[in-house]
Amino acid sequence: MSDHEAPTTEAPTSETPGDQAAGNDAPERVDQARQIAELEDAWRRTAAELDNFRKQCARDVVRGREQERAAVATSWLPVLDNLERALEHASSDPDSVVEGVRAVLAQAVGVLADLGYPRRDDAGRAFDPAVHEAVGTVSGEGLTPGTVAHVVRPGYGPDDKLLRPAAVVVATRAS
Amino acid sequence: MSDHEAPTTEAPTSETPGDQAAGNDAPERVDQARQIAELEDAWRRTAAELDNFRKQCARDVVRGREQERAAVATSWLPVLDNLERALEHASSDPDSVVEGVRAVLAQAVGVLADLGYPRRDDAGRAFDPAVHEAVGTVSGEGLTPGTVAHVVRPGYGPDDKLLRPAAVVVATRAS
């Protein structure tokens, strides 16, 4: 708050009542009245600055969100371009479409990872309701009860910034 | 700024120098000294609030961007899911993959439109360097010089919020 430091050097602490000779009290009272007016003015200006800053901040938040939205949306354009490119061979060579689309899927997973949301690999991990959504159970040889036997739909993002949990089938004891 | 209104009712305007009988000036000076101390305190508190709010605002901007990033990234997950689903039929029926991928591409274009960035249809429009990137020229029967003859790579977003310009071939007069 270096710009808004109260001017302590002008504070009235160096004066005490009865400091000067009694008699005509006008000079000190005029000084104090002026000081009061200055302080009120300074206070009002700081309050107005706070008010302006609140409005400014609201605008900054909106603009920050808009910039982020545009930046993230832009990162998907190459995925769309490549998807279109893969489809260009559709009539002549369907098999090459499959290859191309596999590459686009890998690219899309890469875009999410670059944004901070890597694809999760939850198969075989201990089931954790905080990051897994159980959609079924299974039991059988070689399956450890309480672990994720199969990922039905992958999750994205690290544990503390999960975009969505993985939908999983959980291994249980044979009944 | 309702919380930070300067207390005008306490302002010293109702007092003027020489307002009270002269003589012992201590009572008024003590009043004024107290008022000065109160004003300084109020000013300091407002300045501290401004300082805190600056820090708070910086955090709000960062959090707003993070929320936007997560929201926009999440809107792409169904596209990835459907791309994977389309590929599941790859070995048995490549032709159905092509159909599925066309649907996913349309879905992806829809996601961008929902985010505020519709796919542009610039074919036939007057060439405008603000929203078009010329990558070639062509002349021929039925082409209006100065218009977009062909879109090589589509643009996304309205004129005032362009994510990227369309790459276009511009029609010219036959030379």
Side-chain angles (χ1 to χ4, degrees):
Chain A
M1 50 184 264
S2 55
D3 289 356
H4 311 286
E5 205 74 53
T8 50
T9 53
E10 295 177 22
T13 48
S14 61
E15 283 184 65
T16 54
D19 209 15
Q20 296 185 18
N24 186 354
D25 58 358
E28 298 119 58
R29 290 185 57 195
V30 169
D31 275 0
Q32 288 189 319
R34 201 194 59 219
Q35 199 176 352
I36 287 168
E38 284 172 359
L39 278 169
E40 282 202 329
D41 186 51
W43 180 19
R44 273 179 214 284
R45 275 187 281 110
T46 304
E49 198 174 345
L50 176 59
D51 191 46
N52 287 336
F53 194 70
R54 281 187 205 280
K55 291 170 191 154
Q56 174 68 42
C57 178
R59 285 193 296 266
D60 286 353
V61 169
V62 168
R63 198 175 49 214
R65 294 188 84 115
E66 284 174 353
Q67 286 172 345
E68 192 70 22
R69 166 177 288 233
V72 177
T74 299
S75 66
W76 289 94
L77 297 186
V79 174
L80 267 74
D81 291 341
N82 286 336
L83 212 49
E84 287 194 80
R85 212 162 289 155
L87 284 169
E88 280 169 12
H89 309 284
S91 54
S92 58
D93 184 3
D95 284 329
S96 82
V97 174
V98 172
E99 275 316 290
V101 172
R102 276 194 217 285
V104 172
L105 177 59
Q107 181 188 25
V109 170
V111 168
L112 279 175
D114 287 347
L115 290 171
Y117 310 107
R119 187 189 186 98
R120 298 174 62 90
D121 181 14
D122 289 301
R125 294 209 179 161
F127 174 72
D128 177 355
V131 294
H132 300 140
E133 183 192 341
V135 296
T137 59
V138 65
S139 63
E141 287 285 323
L143 291 176
T144 308
T147 63
V148 171
H150 175 60
V151 175
V152 176
R153 193 195 61 184
Y156 289 89
D159 285 5
D160 59 341
K161 271 192 180 174
L162 202 62
L163 275 195
R164 77 167 182 202
V168 302
V169 173
V170 186
T172 56
R173 291 183 195 288
S175 54
Chain B
M1 51 185 263
S2 54
D3 288 357
H4 311 288
E5 205 73 53
T8 49
T9 52
E10 294 177 23
T13 47
S14 60
E15 283 184 65
T16 54
D19 208 15
Q20 297 185 16
N24 186 351
D25 57 0
E28 297 119 60
R29 289 184 60 195
V30 169
D31 276 359
Q32 288 189 319
R34 202 194 58 219
Q35 197 175 353
I36 286 168
E38 285 172 358
L39 277 169
E40 282 200 331
D41 186 51
W43 180 17
R44 273 179 214 285
R45 276 187 281 111
T46 303
E49 197 174 348
L50 176 59
D51 191 45
N52 288 335
F53 193 71
R54 282 186 204 281
K55 292 169 191 153
Q56 174 67 44
C57 178
R59 286 192 296 266
D60 286 353
V61 169
V62 168
R63 199 175 47 214
R65 293 188 84 115
E66 284 173 354
Q67 287 172 346
E68 192 70 22
R69 166 178 288 233
V72 176
T74 299
S75 66
W76 290 93
L77 297 187
V79 174
L80 268 74
D81 290 341
N82 286 336
L83 212 50
E84 288 194 79
R85 211 162 291 155
L87 284 170
E88 281 169 12
H89 309 284
S91 54
S92 59
D93 184 4
D95 285 329
S96 82
V97 174
V98 172
E99 273 318 289
V101 172
R102 276 195 219 284
V104 173
L105 177 60
Q107 182 189 22
V109 170
V111 168
L112 279 175
D114 287 347
L115 289 170
Y117 310 107
R119 185 190 186 98
R120 298 173 62 91
D121 182 14
D122 288 301
R125 294 208 183 163
F127 174 73
D128 177 356
V131 294
H132 300 141
E133 183 192 341
V135 295
T137 59
V138 66
S139 64
E141 287 287 321
L143 291 176
T144 308
T147 63
V148 171
H150 175 58
V151 175
V152 176
R153 193 195 62 184
Y156 289 91
D159 285 5
D160 59 340
K161 271 193 179 174
L162 203 61
L163 275 194
R164 78 168 180 201
V168 304
V169 175
V170 185
T172 55
R173 292 184 195 290
S175 53

